[in-house]
Amino acid sequence: MREMLTGGPLDVLTGDYLAELTMLILARDRLKDPSLGYAKTFLRQLEECLGLALERGVRIVVNAGGLNPARLADAVRELAKSQGLDPAVGHVEGDDLLPRRQELVLPEGLLAANAYLGAFGIAECLRGGADVVVTGRVTDAALVAGPAVAHFGWGAGDLDALAGAVVAGHVLECGAQATGGNYAFFREHDVTRPGFPLAELHADGSSVITKHPGTGGAVTVGTVTAQLLYETGGPRYLGPDVTARLDTVRLTGDGPDRVRIDGVRGEAPPATLKAGLNRLGGHRNEVVFVLTGLDIEAKAALVRRQFEEGLAPDRRPAELRWTLARTDHADAATEEAASALLRLTARDGDPARVGRELGRVAVEMGLAGYPGFHLTAPPGPGAPYGVFEAAYIGAGEVEHTAVLPDGRRVTVPPAPVTATTQEEPEERAAEAGGADPGPTRRAPLGLVAGARSGDKGGDANLGVWARDEPGWRWLSRTLTTELLRELLPETAELPITRHLLPNLRAIDFTITGLLGEGVAAQHRFDPQAKALGEWLRSRRLDIPEALL
């Protein structure tokens, strides 16, 4: 926060503190203490920087309110008073659906249920004079679109401008991911300490993504492309205020560390708002066996037989999942390099079945198992895990409210014009160019393509892009859903949707169900699919030598 406030001119500082997993963590905080439920990190940052922001005339807009934005707004006022400051603080509420669970017919057992609100509540607070605006669950991009609405006076009908601001907000929302953080071609830039991105917004919705002078990392068409592909889902990026057409986005270099975004078209938003529902799914535990040296497969088979036979039939967990990671190397110079990991994950509604029962069996195997038996850690008591699911609720049923600094409450109406979800445009491969690609060589895909991946509930999103037009023509023809299943065998039995984004030279894949019940359920080794793209880039296929 200090770096952004002191590194160069800024009108508005935004902060995105919420993710699907964060909402579950905040819900558990609120169970222990009803006055909590917000991101305490924000207050620690503000303690150092509030005076600086007020001195420089920088307004602050954050979603750190989480499940309790009103309480965080009060905490900001208390903090300011202790420092002799008097900022105008507004907040946005109405996203919390849990108090209206019966009225809205939501499932039982929820810890949190929050609708994703849009930009206009934030804009109302800013128009009402707020120096600091605190929200609960809004779309990540609303943190940027809200200040743009307030500054330029846009209305609900300014769809193209709104869509442009939403795209800029999507680029900014994950901070340094737009300036070289988590970037496929990270070796091309010094990303030891990347700076944070900022957007210069214009009245027509266009923007320039840049960063403060002298900060690390880089802003390039590649880094911005990578972030645009992160956790999207096809050409239409749905939101409560506008549907932004990602297939209309144009990116052009605008000088060192400057990338211009324009051409974004907007459509009417859907009539429903997405809502995130969080509940406890049960209890889980994990035991990791270390298998060293020879006969790894046979040792793993012995572990499974002994363990499963050792479980009392009436105490067996509802789900047992075994995963063997062949991290071992032949004739290794260190013991660790000679070892593989066999991971057992157990889930059940009864904590005893994934705690005491697993520990009992593992201990009894200790002197009667495979040669070299040991574990990475003794089995613990197990822990509860959460489940995230998305639901959709009529926008008119949500009580979107801006609470202004003077206490006035302003009801924010839903979008006046909505659209039903349209079918996505038919896939179209890039033209072959009429020429044979020539000889090929077996090589990793990552030599010619970048990737960025992440989670959307229980689904994984995977964006892949080419770095030039010849690469795009080859990639769009070659990387089909069938080839993706071959390269990533974990996806072989799952539904996959594929969308082409020619302006970005990119393909967007959504892999349904890869992450089970979401990140908190820890369904797989990489529960948020963060490294799925890097796995794909490491896979080898026949690539034209002209591209290599």
Side-chain angles (χ1 to χ4, degrees):
M1 187 179 285
R2 174 171 285 278
E3 178 181 306
M4 292 304 292
L5 289 171
T6 60
L10 206 63
D11 296 305
V12 181
L13 177 65
T14 66
D16 176 14
Y17 292 76
L18 302 182
E20 292 167 2
L21 181 60
T22 316
M23 298 300 280
L24 179 65
I25 293 169
L26 296 179
R28 294 179 66 181
D29 283 351
R30 188 171 61 174
L31 280 178
K32 299 173 187 174
D33 183 346
S35 70
L36 296 179
Y38 56 82
K40 297 184 286 293
T41 308
F42 170 63
L43 279 180
R44 291 197 292 271
Q45 293 172 307
L46 204 62
E47 186 173 10
E48 179 186 1
C49 295
L50 178 58
L52 183 60
L54 294 174
E55 175 188 319
R56 295 183 173 231
V58 179
R59 301 167 106 177
I60 296 173
V61 178
V62 297
N63 61 11
L67 304 178
N68 205 343
R71 177 65 193 106
L72 179 57
D74 286 340
V76 171
R77 295 184 187 98
E78 292 163 8
L79 171 64
K81 185 176 180 181
S82 72
Q83 296 184 346
L85 303 172
D86 187 26
V89 182
H91 74 273
V92 178
E93 60 185 40
D95 61 295
D96 188 358
L97 306 179
L98 211 54
R100 303 171 58 209
R101 185 184 67 250
Q102 292 183 331
E103 173 192 348
L104 298 173
V105 195
L106 299 176
E108 295 293 327
L110 295 176
L111 292 181
N114 297 80
Y116 287 71
L117 304 180
F120 283 86
I122 294 170
E124 287 287 353
C125 288
L126 292 171
R127 287 170 180 156
D131 300 306
V132 180
V133 180
V134 170
T135 79
R137 178 74 276 187
V138 296
T139 65
D140 301 341
L143 299 171
V144 171
V149 168
H151 182 79
F152 295 116
W154 297 336
D158 294 310
L159 295 176
D160 290 346
L162 288 168
V166 163
V167 168
H170 178 57
V171 173
L172 297 192
E173 71 187 48
C174 289
Q177 278 196 173
T179 56
N182 303 341
Y183 184 51
F185 304 104
F186 70 98
R187 293 196 297 175
E188 298 177 359
H189 309 285
D190 181 3
V191 294
T192 305
R193 191 180 185 280
F196 288 84
L198 59 90
E200 299 170 357
L201 295 168
H202 300 284
D204 63 353
S206 65
S207 62
V208 172
I209 306 299
T210 183
K211 62 187 183 70
H212 284 324
T215 55
V219 177
T220 68
V221 169
T223 65
V224 174
T225 297
Q227 178 56 26
L228 278 174
L229 296 175
Y230 183 62
E231 294 182 349
T232 56
R236 285 183 165 87
Y237 191 60
L238 305 181
D241 304 312
V242 65
T243 295
R245 290 292 299 262
L246 298 182
D247 53 353
T248 63
V249 174
R250 287 196 305 260
L251 302 180
T252 51
D254 193 52
D257 290 318
R258 293 177 62 83
V259 173
R260 180 172 296 280
I261 302 176
D262 61 13
V264 186
R265 301 300 304 274
E267 297 174 345
T272 56
L273 299 183
K274 178 182 175 181
L277 309 182
N278 285 277
R279 60 180 171 83
L280 289 180
H283 291 76
R284 72 181 295 279
N285 205 351
E286 194 171 87
V287 183
V288 181
F289 299 86
V290 183
L291 315 176
T292 304
L294 305 177
D295 306 317
I296 296 295
E297 299 284 347
K299 288 172 180 174
L302 176 59
V303 172
R304 291 190 59 167
R305 288 199 308 273
Q306 288 186 316
F307 200 97
E308 297 201 24
E309 288 181 12
L311 288 168
D314 62 338
R315 304 300 296 164
R316 184 184 181 88
E319 179 186 346
L320 291 174
R321 180 189 293 266
W322 296 90
T323 308
L324 176 60
R326 292 300 303 265
T327 52
D328 54 303
H329 300 269
D331 195 22
T334 66
E335 182 178 334
E336 186 172 4
S339 300
L341 300 177
L342 178 64
R343 177 177 284 103
L344 168 62
T345 303
R347 302 178 201 271
D348 199 281
D350 181 352
R353 294 193 183 197
V354 299
R356 290 192 301 271
E357 183 66 7
L358 262 64
R360 177 189 68 78
V361 177
V363 168
E364 290 177 358
M365 290 172 59
L367 301 178
Y370 61 90
F373 180 102
H374 69 110
L375 310 174
T376 57
Y385 69 89
V387 172
F388 173 89
E389 61 182 301
Y392 294 88
I393 185 168
E397 297 184 74
V398 176
E399 299 169 347
H400 188 177
T401 304
V403 183
L404 306 189
D406 62 7
R408 285 181 295 145
R409 300 176 64 85
V410 178
T411 299
V412 180
V417 178
T418 60
T420 56
T421 303
Q422 303 178 42
E423 290 187 14
E424 303 295 356
E426 184 179 349
E427 287 185 7
R428 179 174 56 82
E431 296 297 327
D436 187 285
T440 61
R441 175 156 50 94
R442 200 79 174 167
L445 176 62
L447 295 184
V448 297
R452 173 68 62 78
S453 56
D455 61 319
K456 296 289 280 185
D459 302 337
N461 168 253
L462 172 58
V464 187
W465 79 93
R467 310 193 78 184
D468 53 33
E469 275 303 313
W472 165 241
R473 288 194 294 271
W474 172 80
L475 184 71
S476 65
R477 294 194 309 271
T478 304
L479 192 56
T480 61
T481 54
E482 291 74 18
L483 180 59
L484 187 73
R485 294 181 200 279
E486 292 178 25
L487 296 174
L488 305 182
E490 285 185 42
T491 71
E493 304 301 322
L494 298 173
I496 299 176
T497 55
R498 174 184 187 262
H499 298 291
L500 299 181
L501 299 170
N503 279 12
L504 300 177
R505 300 190 187 117
I507 307 173
D508 181 271
F509 293 98
T510 299
I511 304 163
T512 303
L514 182 68
L515 307 179
E517 296 173 305
V519 54
Q522 299 282 306
H523 179 75
R524 67 190 293 271
F525 167 68
D526 175 15
Q528 289 182 280
K530 295 290 189 181
L532 188 68
E534 288 301 290
W535 178 27
L536 176 65
R537 293 182 68 240
S538 74
R539 298 291 284 167
R540 293 176 176 267
L541 67 163
D542 295 325
I543 300 175
E545 289 186 351
L547 300 180
L548 291 169

